[in-house]
Amino acid sequence: MRAAVVEEFGSPPRWTEVPDPVATGRHEAVVDVVAVGLHPRVRSQAAGSHYTSTDELPLIPGIDGVGRDAEGRLRYFVLRDTVHGSMAQRAVIDVRHSVLLPPGADPAQVAAVMNPAMSSWIALRQRVGLRAGQSVLVLGATGNAGAMAVRVARRLGAGRVIAVGRGAQRMAAADPDAIVALDDAPDRVAEQLGRAASDVDVVLDYLWGRPTADALRAIVPARHDDDQKLTWVQIGSVAGTESPIPSAALRATRLDIVGSGQGSVPATRIVAELGELLDEVAAGHFTSDVLTMPLSQVGQAWLTGTHGTQRVVLVA
Ligand SMILES: NC(=O)c1ccc[n+]([C@@H]2O[C@H](COP(=O)([O-])OP(=O)(O)OC[C@H]3O[C@@H](n4cnc5c(N)ncnc54)[C@H](OP(=O)(O)O)[C@@H]3O)[C@@H](O)[C@H]2O)c1
């Protein structure tokens, strides 16, 4: 079969001939790949920079996708293997880590949306246990995962949802209750953040780096009630993998900093959420602006710039 193969970290994959995959485990099956999302997580896998990377090369990138099983049914699947990914004509899946697509679901939409939507869905259900009416602030609400987090939080029962990111206009599409534009003057940003988040319960953080430290500096002194817990969930790190968090932030308020991702949420719990989330996606509650390209053009797709919340999906 043919697959996208990364031979060197930092170089785009090449569409080339590789041996056919073979299912060996009791729960394994080979699927014909139908659609695969080119998520930031896939780029970091292919760059060898994700925290789950094993440095092994060559590798086939792709962490999830939609495939057709031997019975002709479409399945959304997630892969745990860091080397044998889904950007190929066929892939070996663990059937327990897959769910059947509801009738009529669009494979390209599913492949585009599940990964970014899962980031906040799992964080709010598995790491926070969001209660109806609690307020949520999304730090980095302009990308696929961040913009979707505004919708996911609301769908899961959040009361007030605040979007924070660079570019007020881009955040308006998700219809948050309040917007703070990080590209405003620093004093104004700090003042607006303090006001907007003085009684927030949960922060979903896609940025990390400097913006996280700056946001804590603005929010912590503005908290109204010392007794109100603030759960800060580290989800993405588009602004930096390290953040100079002020020590006082942890002493001055009931701040819990937790992460949400592979490892901090056990695989069984991630998998247990897939069915319900897929139903939400199939029902059109969470959508993406999909740019489809043929799998065979993976090298070109790698170099294609996307705008806004557009997501490249490679299709068979
Ligand atoms: N833990 C999980 O379960 C999980 C799951 C999915 C995704 N993620 C992570 O979540 C992050 C976002 O993913 P995504 O799919 O939304 O990516 P995306 O669609 O590529 O969006 C990234 C967004 O971040 C913005 N951004 C970049 N640098 C910034 C900065 N310094 N300050 C403010 N905004 C900045 C970009 O805005 P500009 O256009 O202005 O650059 C863009 O809107 C990634 O780190 C991804 O790996 C985590």
Side-chain angles (χ1 to χ4, degrees), residues 8-31:
E8 194 186 339
F9 290 130
S11 298
R14 263 184 340 111
W15 187 246
T16 186
E17 202 64 36
V18 297
D20 268 330
V22 181
T24 49
R26 195 154 66 92
H27 300 288
E28 287 184 350
V30 175
V31 292

Side-chain angles (χ1 to χ4, degrees), residues 167-211:
Q169 238 179 343
R170 293 195 286 172
M171 292 183 280
D175 198 22
D177 297 293
I179 288 175
V180 178
L182 290 175
D183 40 4
D184 222 330
D187 286 359
R188 221 175 117 63
V189 172
E191 189 254 315
Q192 286 188 341
L193 266 179
R195 193 146 26 89
S198 59
D199 59 356
V200 117
D201 297 294
V202 178
V203 172
L204 300 177
D205 186 349
Y206 290 89
L207 300 182
W208 209 242
R210 188 89 226 168

Side-chain angles (χ1 to χ4, degrees), residues 40 115 119 142-145 166 170 206-207 235-239 260 311:
N115 170 266
S119 67
T142 50
N144 272 283
R166 50 186 188 198
R170 293 195 286 172
Y206 290 89
L207 300 182
I235 302 178
S237 45
V238 293
S260 183
R311 172 102 337 145

Side-chain angles (χ1 to χ4, degrees), residues 1-273:
M1 71 161 183
R2 291 179 89 79
V5 177
V6 175
E7 275 144 1
E8 194 186 339
F9 290 130
S11 298
R14 263 184 340 111
W15 187 246
T16 186
E17 202 64 36
V18 297
D20 268 330
V22 181
T24 49
R26 195 154 66 92
H27 300 288
E28 287 184 350
V30 175
V31 292
D32 290 326
V33 174
V34 173
V36 183
L38 177 41
H39 314 298
R41 166 74 178 78
V42 177
R43 288 187 183 276
S44 61
Q45 171 196 24
S49 60
H50 193 258
Y51 65 89
T52 59
S53 289
T54 55
D55 285 346
E56 214 179 314
L57 282 174
L59 69 80
I60 298 172
I63 54 155
D64 68 349
V66 174
R68 195 178 294 282
D69 66 18
E71 286 76 41
R73 298 171 302 188
L74 290 173
R75 288 179 177 275
Y76 171 75
F77 59 86
V78 289
L79 298 177
R80 288 181 61 74
D81 194 307
T82 57
V83 177
H84 301 101
S86 49
M87 291 189 168
Q89 288 178 314
R90 283 179 287 286
V92 174
I93 65 163
D94 182 330
V95 177
R96 296 168 302 176
H97 295 186
S98 74
V99 272
L100 292 174
L101 259 61
D106 172 11
Q109 263 302 326
V110 170
V113 172
M114 285 295 281
N115 170 266
M118 217 183 302
S119 67
S120 49
W121 180 274
I122 298 234
L124 291 172
R125 292 192 19 142
Q126 293 291 339
R127 295 299 273 158
V128 178
L130 183 78
R131 294 194 304 279
Q134 285 191 308
S135 54
V136 175
L137 181 147
V138 180
L139 188 57
T142 50
N144 272 283
M148 222 159 303
V150 173
R151 295 199 163 96
V152 169
R154 180 146 302 127
R155 188 86 190 135
L156 291 178
R160 199 154 170 270
V161 185
I162 302 148
V164 182
R166 50 186 188 198
Q169 238 179 343
R170 293 195 286 172
M171 292 183 280
D175 198 22
D177 297 293
I179 288 175
V180 178
L182 290 175
D183 40 4
D184 222 330
D187 286 359
R188 221 175 117 63
V189 172
E191 189 254 315
Q192 286 188 341
L193 266 179
R195 193 146 26 89
S198 59
D199 59 356
V200 117
D201 297 294
V202 178
V203 172
L204 300 177
D205 186 349
Y206 290 89
L207 300 182
W208 209 242
R210 188 89 226 168
T212 293
D214 289 346
L216 276 164
R217 259 186 216 101
I219 292 169
V220 169
R223 297 291 284 171
H224 280 327
D225 179 2
D226 287 350
D227 213 26
Q228 188 189 11
K229 193 157 104 173
L230 172 60
T231 307
W232 199 285
V233 195
Q234 204 302 305
I235 302 178
S237 45
V238 293
T241 52
E242 318 251 318
S243 179
I245 289 171
S247 60
L250 288 145
R251 296 194 299 273
T253 195
R254 280 188 65 201
L255 173 65
D256 281 357
I257 302 182
V258 299
S260 183
Q262 261 177 280
S264 55
V265 183
T268 48
R269 296 215 179 170
I270 295 179
V271 167
E273 297 288 349

